[in-house]
Amino acid sequence: MKNHPQLRTGIGTDVHAFDANSVLWLGLLEWPGERGLAGHSDADVVAHAICDSLFSATATGDMGSNFGTDRPEFKNASGETFLKAALKIIDAAGFTPVNVAVTVIGNQPKVSSRRDEMQKVLSGILNAPVSVSATTTDGLGLTGRGEGIAAIATCLVEMKGE
């Protein structure tokens, strides 16, 4: 479709269990005093869900196929490392992010206290607007029982040069 931008949407999810011996990283921010999340990396569910949404939109795999646990260079990697690597992958495929929306699902931490900071940091890395919302599951499921945190991200990407 000439004269119309090539836009694609993607969705990504991530879930990690709490680990009291880890530092909590969420939306590229450290959350002192909060229980951390267990994972091969920093377990930043927000960053991971965003990466998967970008990969989904551009048909470039997923977190596992791009950054699997069999790759030692990603052990203890930060969410920022994953986002920057994901941007290189989608750029090589000819795409750039237009915007991202992400929802954090869990009882803790209270995202509203740092929402603006999180949006600013994520938008800066992605060079596109990022909106962050949060919800609970009213006591249902693993997040409702306080066993971990989940995130769902949607994104819009545009094919470069269109």
Side-chain angles (χ1 to χ4, degrees), residues 105-108 110 135-147:
I105 306 166
N107 299 332
Q108 292 292 328
K110 298 297 181 198
T135 191
T136 67
T137 57
D138 292 328
L140 300 174
L142 71 96
T143 59
R145 291 187 301 270
E147 297 170 7

Side-chain angles (χ1 to χ4, degrees), residues 19-118:
D19 175 1
N21 297 316
S22 296
V23 174
L24 179 61
W25 286 92
L26 191 64
L28 305 185
L29 304 179
E30 183 178 357
W31 295 73
E34 297 285 350
R35 289 182 294 169
L37 297 170
H40 180 69
S41 65
D42 69 358
D44 185 335
V45 295
V46 169
H48 296 183
I50 292 171
C51 287
D52 267 341
S53 74
L54 294 168
F55 296 143
S56 170
T58 59
T60 53
D62 53 34
M63 284 288 290
S65 64
N66 285 296
F67 313 126
T69 57
D70 61 330
R71 297 190 53 194
E73 68 269 30
F74 292 112
K75 181 154 180 62
N76 298 318
S78 69
E80 182 174 346
T81 297
F82 287 119
L83 286 173
K84 287 180 175 179
L87 288 173
K88 287 181 182 176
I89 291 167
I90 71 163
D91 180 70
F95 292 91
T96 187
V98 175
N99 77 310
V100 175
V102 61
T103 301
V104 179
I105 306 166
N107 299 332
Q108 292 292 328
K110 298 297 181 198
V111 171
S112 61
S113 67
R114 299 187 71 191
R115 179 188 333 270
D116 291 343
E117 183 182 4
M118 192 184 298

